[in-house]
Amino acid sequence: MAQNAHKTRITATVDFAADGKQVGHLSVPHSRNTSAWGALELPVAVIANGTGPTVVFIGGNHGDEYEGPIALVKLTAALDAGEVTGRVIVLPALNLPAFRSGTRLSPIDGLNMNRIFPGAHDGTLTSAIAHYVSSEILPLADVVVDIHSGGKTLDFVPSAIIHNLPDPAQMDQCLGALKAFGAPVGLILTELDSEGMLDTTVERMGKTFLSTELGGGGTARVETVAIAERGVRNVLKHFGVLVGAADVPTPARLMETPEGAFVSAGDGGLYEPVKDLGETVAAGEAIGRIHFVETLERAPLIHTAQVDGLILCRGVPGLVEKGDCLVVVARDRT
Ligand code: ZN
């Protein structure tokens, strides 16, 4: 990609090549009305010791998803370089402006970090951060784990996620990471819109990539934080960066999203769920109704599942707009 041939404007206070434990920041130039020569200081940690794989953990790719940032600040505080073989790079709040405002997108340039990869060195703030990750961090990585949750508008049965990849060896590596993470569901997801994602960028580099959807609703739960904390350590154990076997209480239920998995609102209105998160549905069965409170003569719009399966994801807001995701129905992997 020609734009990636250009050097980043972002500098780091940590040395990614040095052994030991370092915490610091990436300095992203951010000249603005309130600070002419200001910079955004994006937190980063490097914990390295000897020769071994490099695992990159990312949280806060979207600013309203909290299991990643919580698990990653705790992992950073707890890890000693001496217990690591290889290198752990932690970016707990990748879209820091979005994290600060508790929103999915950056309030500075309105961009979705996970739709702007690989980014541009001369792009706006979000794009420049994505470009730094693509050009400076990903080349160091063997494994990338990007911890997502549903944010304020979606809620998930806690899932570790990979994609179908054409290279069987790469797919095996990703599947191994997914199983080791230890989430209740292991989803092989077909994305609605994969262009511009960190996921796609890492996968195209031939590296091992794991994502998650660990809950949502704009908050964290005791259960989902525990899954995230166990999961990041499990991945490190699986790849030999930490000693010991991955702690997987129950093997992941492997699932996939067939065509028709996504059910979207046919009109704007008040959503009444008929099936809740984690419930089983059959194709043709009602999953919810949209009511038109201001038009009492209008009958509710009934939405049905298109496929048999489990409600893996549900929309959170009570008021929906036409086109909003109501549910995602996943089925057991065949
Ligand atoms: Zn997300």
Side-chain angles (χ1 to χ4, degrees), residues 111-146:
L111 289 176
N112 182 341
M113 180 69 78
N114 216 25
R115 297 293 183 278
I116 198 70
F117 270 85
H121 80 286
D122 56 353
T124 59
L125 203 77
T126 308
S127 175
I129 295 167
H131 174 264
Y132 183 89
V133 171
S134 304
S135 61
E136 304 291 325
I137 307 262
L138 297 187
L140 307 175
D142 297 292
V143 179
V144 179
V145 181
D146 188 21

Side-chain angles (χ1 to χ4, degrees), residues 14-328:
V14 294
D15 177 358
F16 292 105
D19 269 358
K21 178 172 177 173
Q22 307 167 73
V23 293
H25 61 263
L26 307 177
S27 183
V28 188
H30 184 215
S31 179
R32 57 201 191 274
N33 285 335
T34 51
S35 184
W37 287 0
L40 183 76
E41 297 192 342
L42 207 73
V44 63
V46 188
I47 302 129
N49 182 35
T51 305
T54 293
V55 180
V56 175
F57 289 113
I58 291 176
N61 182 329
H62 294 129
D64 58 351
E65 305 174 2
Y66 297 114
E67 285 80 357
I70 293 170
L72 294 180
V73 295
K74 292 175 78 174
L75 179 74
T76 301
L79 271 190
D80 285 325
E83 59 185 319
V84 165
T85 304
R87 179 168 49 183
V88 183
I89 299 174
V90 182
L91 290 157
L94 185 65
N95 197 338
L96 183 62
F99 174 80
R100 285 176 176 168
S101 65
T103 54
R104 179 173 178 82
L105 313 183
S106 171
I108 294 173
D109 54 19
L111 289 176
N112 182 341
M113 180 69 78
N114 216 25
R115 297 293 183 278
I116 198 70
F117 270 85
H121 80 286
D122 56 353
T124 59
L125 203 77
T126 308
S127 175
I129 295 167
H131 174 264
Y132 183 89
V133 171
S134 304
S135 61
E136 304 291 325
I137 307 262
L138 297 187
L140 307 175
D142 297 292
V143 179
V144 179
V145 181
D146 188 21
I147 305 173
H148 288 256
S149 309
K152 285 178 175 164
T153 66
L154 295 174
D155 199 4
F156 283 84
V157 175
S159 304
I161 297 175
I162 61 170
H163 304 105
N164 269 315
L165 301 174
D167 175 356
Q170 188 187 9
M171 181 78 187
D172 269 0
Q173 286 288 317
C174 295
L175 196 56
L178 174 139
K179 289 177 177 171
F181 189 88
V185 168
L187 180 67
I188 292 85
L189 178 67
T190 304
E191 298 281 353
L192 284 179
D193 177 21
S194 66
E195 211 47 51
M197 294 180 76
L198 168 64
D199 316 43
T200 313
T201 306
V202 178
E203 288 162 356
R204 282 178 184 158
M205 293 170 88
K207 295 169 188 280
T208 302
F209 183 82
L210 179 68
S211 181
T212 69
E213 294 290 357
L214 293 180
T219 189
R221 301 197 298 269
V222 173
E223 178 208 6
T224 54
V225 169
I227 292 167
E229 286 197 69
R230 192 181 62 216
V232 294
R233 285 183 172 273
N234 278 348
V235 168
L236 292 176
K237 289 172 183 167
H238 177 71
F239 289 101
V241 177
L242 288 178
V243 295
D247 165 23
V248 179
T250 314
R253 179 176 178 184
L254 292 184
M255 307 195 83
E256 60 191 2
T257 47
E259 197 161 327
F262 291 77
V263 180
S264 306
D267 208 343
L270 172 60
Y271 185 65
E272 176 200 356
V274 173
K275 291 284 182 179
D276 252 320
L277 195 63
E279 284 197 74
T280 300
V281 286
E285 200 176 355
I287 56 101
R289 308 181 185 97
I290 296 174
H291 296 282
F292 307 100
V293 176
E294 297 181 50
T295 313
L296 291 174
E297 59 273 31
R298 187 171 171 193
L301 184 58
I302 296 167
H303 281 286
T304 56
Q306 307 300 302
V307 293
D308 295 346
L310 177 89
I311 306 236
L312 188 81
C313 170
R314 232 211 74 187
V316 171
L319 295 180
V320 298
E321 293 181 16
K322 184 175 167 67
D324 283 353
C325 178
L326 298 176
V327 301
V328 179

